[in-house]
Amino acid sequence: MANGQWYPPEWPDRIRALAAGTLTPVTPKRAATVMLLKDTGTGAAVHMLRRRASMAFASGAYAYPGGGVDPRDDDHQVRWAGPTHAWWADRLGVDETTAQAIVCAAVRETYEEAGVLLAGPTPDSVVGDTTGADWEADRAALVARDLSFAEFLDRRGLALRSDLLGAWTRWITPEFEARRYDTWFFVAALPEGQRTRNASTEADRTVWIAPGEAAAGYDKGELLMMPPTIATLRQLTAYETAAQALAAAPGRDLTPVLATARLVDGEIVLSWPGHDEFTKRIPTAPTGGATA
């Protein structure tokens, strides 16, 4: 394996089925993920987690905190601070209800999986320490979906700080994948007084790592990642601080990246527009699986 690129072993067969018209693409679910950054003495570091080996999808791969939208993230009663729903709708290219749901998912998932909460009692403040039994009980209730994020914020007297997020990029899982997500990637800085922890049941390890170091690990085949993860890491290497990355976010193009597959000279050519490094050539004859 030349690098740490991962893709499911069933993709070649599913690509052939899609081309033959025997596979109907599933509708992608809305999702959000957050590249949480903090400044160190040698530059910015990003918080990453490694998916457990037992996970059905991308096991062992490094990723960022994130996940699917909870239908209740559309709740119009959510406490909100920062840019308006209309502003976010324009930025994300969706309607206002969907924009709220995506931003809520980004903040909620970061709290659920990393214990970091981008919310505060006032529009210009952020909660400090979020550890302790009472916070953990609320976090567990969110994970179990016993508590909606709107209810959680209301109970705590907090408002979601949408201004602490910067929309970075958008990737849609290929049509030939069984588990599809329409994922918006955000950047955010670790709030002062808070600290990350491995709160995810889906991860067996978490790490703060310089984007360049993580990318080098991928290039050596030491760190397994999916295309959106390594692509965003490479993009983050241009910024020395979290503030620089956040300042760059408003100018980022959010045109969705969607992989395509085509038949060329007896091979399946799998490619991601604008990201040539991920191009894969796969024999058309079934091989019983594929590795990176």
Side-chain angles (χ1 to χ4, degrees), residues 79-140:
R79 292 172 179 246
W80 190 273
T84 65
H85 293 72
W87 185 93
W88 277 107
D90 181 68
R91 178 70 182 113
L92 301 179
V94 296
D95 60 67
E96 291 188 26
T97 299
T98 301
Q100 174 180 286
I102 294 165
V103 172
C104 278
V107 176
R108 176 180 50 72
E109 287 285 343
T110 302
Y111 181 56
E112 288 182 11
E113 297 199 335
V116 171
L117 183 58
L118 304 175
T122 65
D124 57 357
S125 65
V126 188
V127 294
D129 186 4
T130 58
T131 60
D134 59 332
W135 283 101
E136 177 57 25
D138 279 351
R139 193 198 64 79

Side-chain angles (χ1 to χ4, degrees), residues 35-273:
M35 299 178 287
L36 197 61
L37 304 170
K38 74 173 181 180
D39 295 334
T40 70
T42 56
V46 63
H47 180 70
M48 303 190 76
L49 52 83
R50 184 175 66 187
R51 293 173 61 82
R52 292 186 183 277
S54 59
M55 296 298 293
F57 186 75
S59 61
Y62 279 79
Y64 313 112
V69 167
D70 179 343
R72 295 173 299 179
D73 289 334
D74 296 273
D75 192 328
H76 293 292
Q77 302 303 312
V78 67
R79 292 172 179 246
W80 190 273
T84 65
H85 293 72
W87 185 93
W88 277 107
D90 181 68
R91 178 70 182 113
L92 301 179
V94 296
D95 60 67
E96 291 188 26
T97 299
T98 301
Q100 174 180 286
I102 294 165
V103 172
C104 278
V107 176
R108 176 180 50 72
E109 287 285 343
T110 302
Y111 181 56
E112 288 182 11
E113 297 199 335
V116 171
L117 183 58
L118 304 175
T122 65
D124 57 357
S125 65
V126 188
V127 294
D129 186 4
T130 58
T131 60
D134 59 332
W135 283 101
E136 177 57 25
D138 279 351
R139 193 198 64 79
L142 284 169
V143 172
R145 299 296 180 259
D146 293 333
L147 183 68
S148 75
F149 195 58
E151 292 167 337
F152 165 71
L153 293 174
D154 189 58
R155 174 187 297 182
R156 291 276 178 178
L158 301 173
L160 179 154
R161 287 285 305 276
S162 74
D163 56 312
L164 299 182
L165 289 169
W168 192 261
T169 191
R170 179 183 178 186
W171 288 64
I172 301 177
T173 312
E175 292 184 333
F176 38 82
E177 167 56 41
R179 305 170 185 84
R180 299 192 68 205
Y181 294 93
D182 185 351
T183 306
W184 281 262
F185 287 69
F186 296 85
V187 289
L190 178 68
E192 185 176 350
Q194 294 192 39
R195 61 182 185 271
T196 56
R197 60 192 176 89
N198 184 8
S200 173
T201 58
E202 299 179 355
D204 60 12
R205 182 184 185 222
T206 62
V207 63
W208 281 102
I209 188 170
E213 182 183 346
Y218 167 90
D219 290 335
K220 295 174 185 176
E222 297 171 352
L223 301 182
L224 197 65
M225 298 179 201
M226 298 181 71
T229 309
I230 180 60
T232 48
L233 279 172
R234 296 203 196 285
Q235 292 158 1
L236 289 175
T237 59
Y239 307 98
E240 295 183 358
T241 67
Q244 288 178 2
L246 278 163
R252 296 276 310 167
D253 182 8
L254 295 186
T255 301
V257 179
L258 176 64
T260 61
R262 64 190 191 281
L263 185 63
V264 179
D265 296 331
E267 291 181 315
I268 295 171
V269 178
L270 181 61
S271 60
W272 279 259

